[in-house]
Amino acid sequence: MYNSKIIGLGHYVPDNVVTNDDLSKIMDTNDAWIQERTGIKERRYVVKGDGDTTTSMGVKAAKVAIERAGIDKDDIDFIVFATLSPDYYFPGPGVLVQRDLGIKTVGALDVRNQCSGFIYGISVADQYIKTGMYKNVLVIGSEVHSHGLDMTTRGRSVSVIFGDGAGAAILSREEDTSKGILSTHLHSEGQHAEELSLLAPGMGNRWVSDIIADNDPNDESYLPHMNGQFVFKNAVVRFSEVIVEGLEANNLQASDIDMLVPHQANLRISQFIQKKFGLKDDQVFNNIMNYGNTTAASIPIALTEAWEQGKVKEGDTLVLAAFGSGFTWGSAIIKW
């Protein structure tokens, strides 16, 4: 039996910083309104023409993770890429990463679980390694949201939340089963799928030909929709449940948590969870104020920064947790 262990982390964000004040110049909003509701101060947007894409940012994050892992790119046996914003409708970015990194013809899997995508990706990689099928798996979460947002007052309730960026992790075989990823826990509840969604273009709704034929300037079917209060209420419940599930599966208590790295959806959600579990400020890592919600990239970016800042140390018990569109949610319990 093996465990999987994270041996390398990396992240990349575009240079272009967009503040709340910048957004207030193009829509009816302001810094105080955004910070009060989300905790976000600024985010990063790619600039069209500068070469940053969902894939290229993932590649840049992966290169850092590979170097820090002390392995060669050809030591990677499998690629898992989590995103809701792929470069192409198809193929997915996993194969583009394989191409752009010049990795041999290993398998590449794309994960479409939005904010929970990185947790799902970690879980998939963990199972492959635990069964002995693969030794080193590259897991990436990367998003370019800025090109698909409604940057007007009409879309402000959603658009102010999201940012662009990428994070990556190398998972490798660990023979000491008291270390590494101890367990992962995944859930979904599709009955609420439309409460946080983007419905078009899609085969079951409005396809590209419908949008072009109608040429309706008021068509909102291709814009993100979020029932904010409903999502918030479900998020705090499911976050709590899946963290407890992970702790109980490993005979741990909340007091055993050295660092909680939650998906960076809303600072108010993180603060609610922190209070519920009685965690101190130095036991929860948040960076949403700097990057906004980067969906599948948020946990690997946050985990990388926490590690870079010395807040994640050998022997620490880490909890990763996420909730998002689907609804999907999950957690990972890690002994670093």
Side-chain angles (χ1 to χ4, degrees):
M1 292 292 294
Y2 305 106
N3 267 10
S4 65
K5 182 179 180 180
I6 296 174
I7 63 169
L9 290 165
H11 82 285
Y12 173 83
V13 292
D15 293 331
N16 181 36
V17 177
V18 179
T19 67
N20 293 341
D21 287 336
D22 291 332
L23 294 182
S24 71
K25 297 173 183 176
I26 58 175
M27 63 180 72
D28 185 11
T29 190
N30 58 70
D31 178 64
W33 188 89
I34 296 172
Q35 287 205 51
E36 179 183 350
R37 287 160 178 80
T38 69
I40 299 168
K41 298 179 181 178
E42 59 188 37
R43 72 286 293 147
R44 305 295 181 95
Y45 286 169
V46 304
V47 176
K48 291 183 179 180
D50 68 358
D52 278 338
T53 68
T54 297
T55 295
S56 72
M57 292 195 301
V59 167
K60 290 175 181 177
K63 287 181 177 179
V64 176
I66 291 168
E67 180 180 356
R68 288 173 170 174
I71 65 173
D72 186 82
K73 61 182 177 60
D74 286 325
D75 293 324
I76 294 171
D77 304 310
F78 197 69
I79 299 166
V80 182
F81 200 120
T83 188
L84 65 72
S85 54
D87 297 36
Y88 311 137
Y89 198 85
F90 68 86
V95 298
L96 304 182
V97 166
Q98 176 271 327
R99 178 191 67 187
D100 293 351
L101 283 176
I103 296 174
K104 57 192 176 185
T105 57
V106 302
L109 175 70
D110 296 295
V111 174
R112 291 293 303 274
N113 285 86
Q114 294 67 249
C115 296
S116 302
F118 189 76
I119 296 290
Y120 270 73
I122 286 288
S123 183
V124 169
D126 179 51
Q127 303 310 310
Y128 275 132
I129 291 172
K130 282 180 174 175
T131 61
M133 185 170 183
Y134 298 128
K135 182 179 180 180
N136 299 303
V137 180
L138 167 62
V139 183
I140 297 172
S142 182
E143 306 284 4
V144 174
H145 289 119
S146 57
H147 292 178
L149 299 173
D150 180 1
M151 304 304 291
T152 69
T153 299
R154 177 182 65 176
R156 65 180 176 179
S157 62
V158 174
S159 298
V160 301
I161 297 172
F162 293 95
D164 304 338
I170 301 294
L171 275 67
S172 189
R173 186 179 299 166
E174 171 59 60
E175 295 186 2
D176 184 349
T177 56
S178 68
K179 298 179 180 178
I181 297 176
L182 304 182
S183 64
T184 58
H185 309 269
L186 308 177
H187 297 276
S188 69
E189 191 175 21
Q191 72 183 76
H192 301 310
E194 288 76 25
E195 301 297 340
L196 179 52
S197 61
L198 196 156
L199 301 180
M203 296 297 287
N205 200 286
R206 289 176 54 73
W207 189 230
V208 173
S209 56
D210 301 313
I211 295 172
I212 293 173
D214 291 345
N215 194 27
D216 180 2
N218 297 313
D219 182 9
E220 298 184 19
S221 64
Y222 59 89
L223 299 174
H225 164 74
M226 180 172 66
N227 183 345
Q229 289 188 339
F230 187 80
V231 172
F232 186 99
K233 290 177 181 178
N234 277 267
V236 295
V237 171
R238 297 308 192 185
F239 256 107
S240 299
E241 289 177 351
V242 82
I243 291 171
V244 169
E245 179 183 1
L247 293 174
E248 290 182 346
N250 295 281
N251 298 312
L252 298 171
Q253 307 292 325
S255 57
D256 295 314
I257 299 174
D258 294 301
M259 180 60 68
L260 169 64
V261 182
H263 164 56
Q264 303 295 298
N266 187 309
L267 186 60
R268 308 306 165 222
I269 295 175
S270 296
Q271 291 171 334
F272 181 93
I273 299 302
Q274 176 181 341
K275 183 176 181 180
K276 181 177 179 65
F277 285 92
L279 301 175
K280 299 177 182 178
D281 288 347
D282 61 0
Q283 292 175 283
V284 182
F285 191 86
N286 291 302
N287 62 2
I288 189 173
M289 59 287 295
N290 300 322
Y291 303 120
N293 180 348
T294 54
T295 308
S298 78
I299 286 181
I301 291 174
L303 180 58
T304 301
E305 288 199 333
W307 175 79
E308 290 173 342
Q309 295 172 23
K311 297 181 178 180
V312 174
K313 303 176 293 296
E314 185 174 356
D316 281 356
T317 298
L318 272 66
V319 176
L320 312 181
F323 174 90
S325 172
F327 289 147
T328 62
W329 62 98
S331 66
I333 311 299
I334 301 172
K335 178 64 73 170
W336 199 257

